[in-house]
């Protein structure tokens, strides 16, 4: 099988971690007889520096013509003083919108090898953490109208949180379809006691739930959900929520697993083309030092194999290789603990790639 991948290395540690994900993809191609063709494109701060805008049209064209997109990370203090419409992060919102990527799937899985790194009590960790956050990605307050104005002597600002029933229906179906492949339990998170958008959200989710009689549905206010993630994360299977709530909860979910460096994510739309990226930022403080953890990017590439290319065996092979290397006691700086072996970003990528053939069967 031949697939074309748009590669956006981005800023900070982005080029380092993407390099290791490509190393793993190349190993998969070698073992399974595939061909992956990479087309590099600029976005974020690197694009601002090179051509004065965070998302050049050439990048959009490359992404739209590809079978999938692999992204490192964007942003950094160098561009903090730019207006909001010109900041590197704006590129992510625009490319998701242009590609119609409305569903973000972000797993929260605790690797047992890293259990000691979780900030939760051992009794909670022993129950296991294995759920996925399905976040609506192109609606809500991030894409609503933003205004700042002078109101007499006072400066005022507003942000519009808007959802249509169709937007809620399509993301709800993604959550229920995902639950059907897992433990058949959806927890829909909203703020229906306060917000009209949440009341529409809850009503619409309940309507879609009737199409999935095998899936259990419950509702939870976002503030309670934030507490329950720390109190009893084992209760969750699929968390369904809107854009801003999902942004916050998925970051919280990643930290209870011990390190943000091991979590990948996928952004999907109507077709098979998606965008895959680790959930962490550009980490400019360690950029260029070969200290970054590439596992989140490598597991994002594994999600690409599964969701965009239909290569489930190859995806499982990558996941197994990651476990093999962690079982071997190898750790990057962010997950280092006593008695383990510290390795660099490139060494971690090399070891995972080398483990591919050992776990193919």
């Amino acid at each position: 099988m031949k697939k074309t991948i748009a590669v956006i290395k981005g800023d900070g540690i982005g080029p380092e971690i993407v390099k290791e994900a490509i190393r793993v993809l190349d190993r998969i191609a070698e073992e399974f007889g595939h061909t992956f063709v990479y087309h590099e494109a600029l976005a974020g701060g690197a694009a601002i520096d090179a051509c004065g805008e965070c998302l050049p049209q050439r990048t959009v064209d490359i992404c739209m013509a590809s079978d999938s997109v692999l992204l490192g990370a964007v942003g950094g203090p160098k561009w903090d003083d730019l207006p909001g419409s010109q900041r590197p992060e704006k590129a992510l919102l625009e490319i998701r919108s242009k590609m119609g990527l409305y569903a973000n799937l972000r797993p929260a899985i605790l690797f047992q090898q890293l259990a000691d790194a979780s900030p939760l009590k051992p009794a909670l960790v022993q129950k296991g953490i294995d759920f996925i956050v399905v976040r609506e990605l192109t609606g809500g307050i991030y894409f609503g109208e933003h205004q700042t104005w002078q109101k007499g002597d006072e400066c005022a600002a507003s942000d519009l949180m808007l959802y249509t029933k169709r937007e809620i229906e399509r993301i709800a179906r993604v959550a229920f379809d995902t639950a059907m492949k897992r433990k058949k339990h959806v927890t829909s998170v909203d703020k229906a006691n306060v917000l009209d958008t949440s009341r529409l959200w809850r009503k619409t989710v309940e309507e879609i739930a009737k199409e999935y009689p095998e899936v259990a549905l419950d509702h939870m206010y976002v503030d309670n959900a934030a507490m329950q993630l720390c109190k009893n994360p084992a209760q969750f299977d699929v968390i369904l929520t809107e854009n801003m709530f999902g942004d916050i909860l998925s970051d919280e979910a990643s930290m209870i697993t011990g390190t943000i460096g091991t979590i990948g994510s996928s952004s999907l739309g109507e077709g098979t083309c998606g965008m895959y990226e680790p959930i962490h930022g550009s980490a400019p403080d360690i950029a260029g030092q070969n200290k970054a953890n590439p596992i989140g990017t490598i597991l994002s590439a594994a999600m690409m194999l599964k969701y965009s290319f239909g290569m489930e065996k190859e995806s499982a092979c990558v996941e197994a290789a990651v476990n093999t290397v962690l079982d071997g006691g190898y750790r990057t700086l962010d997950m280092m603990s006593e008695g383990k072996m510290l390795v660099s970003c490139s060494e971690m990528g090399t070891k995972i790639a080398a483990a591919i053939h050992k776990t193919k069967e």
Side-chain angles (χ1 to χ4, degrees), residues 16-25 27 111 113-114 259 261-262 290-299 318-337 340-356:
E16 301 167 64
I17 55 179
V18 167
K19 180 180 179 180
E20 300 315 312
I22 290 176
R23 188 195 304 275
V24 170
L25 286 172
R27 181 60 181 161
F111 288 92
Q113 304 95 327
L114 305 177
T259 174
T262 61
N290 203 18
K291 295 179 178 179
N293 186 346
I295 291 179
T297 317
I298 289 169
L299 290 177
V318 174
E319 294 170 355
V322 170
N323 271 291
T324 295
V325 173
L326 292 177
D327 283 342
Y330 299 102
R331 305 286 188 268
T332 48
L333 186 62
D334 61 304
M335 52 185 181
M336 187 59 185
S337 60
K340 303 304 179 183
M341 291 170 280
L342 180 65
V343 295
S344 66
C345 177
S346 58
E347 288 172 332
M348 179 61 79
T350 299
K351 289 184 180 298
I352 293 171
I356 293 290

Side-chain angles (χ1 to χ4, degrees), residues 144-216:
E145 183 180 359
H146 309 291
Q147 295 186 70
T148 302
W149 70 93
Q150 198 69 27
K151 190 176 181 181
D153 295 334
E154 210 50 80
C155 186
S158 68
D159 301 282
L160 179 64
M161 186 173 183
L162 174 67
Y163 269 107
T164 66
K165 184 174 182 179
R166 178 180 174 274
E167 288 174 320
I168 302 169
E169 287 175 339
R170 66 184 186 181
I171 192 64
R173 287 195 173 93
V174 172
F176 282 98
D177 285 339
T178 302
M180 286 292 292
K181 300 173 184 177
R182 292 175 53 91
K183 293 178 263 184
K184 299 182 179 179
H185 177 202
V186 170
T187 301
S188 179
V189 174
D190 58 38
K191 194 63 176 171
N193 57 335
V194 176
L195 302 175
D196 276 6
T197 49
S198 283
R199 284 188 274 272
L200 176 62
W201 182 281
R202 183 171 293 205
K203 178 182 177 182
T204 305
V205 169
E206 288 177 345
E207 291 175 359
I208 298 300
K210 296 175 183 177
E211 302 174 14
Y212 299 84
E214 296 178 59
V215 179

Side-chain angles (χ1 to χ4, degrees), residues 203-275:
K203 178 182 177 182
T204 305
V205 169
E206 288 177 345
E207 291 175 359
I208 298 300
K210 296 175 183 177
E211 302 174 14
Y212 299 84
E214 296 178 59
V215 179
L217 170 67
D218 54 31
H219 301 280
M220 194 174 288
Y221 294 144
V222 64
D223 43 354
N224 185 31
M227 291 186 288
Q228 292 299 323
L229 281 174
C230 296
K231 183 180 180 181
N232 183 20
Q235 70 183 284
F236 296 110
D237 178 27
V238 176
I239 295 177
L240 164 64
T241 192
E242 63 86 42
N243 206 344
M244 183 172 67
F245 296 162
D247 191 4
I248 296 167
L249 292 178
S250 57
D251 279 352
E252 180 188 6
S254 69
M255 288 311 300
I256 65 175
T257 63
T259 174
I260 201 170
T262 61
I263 308 297
S265 75
S266 61
S267 299
L268 306 172
E270 298 293 350
T272 58
C273 184
M275 184 165 69

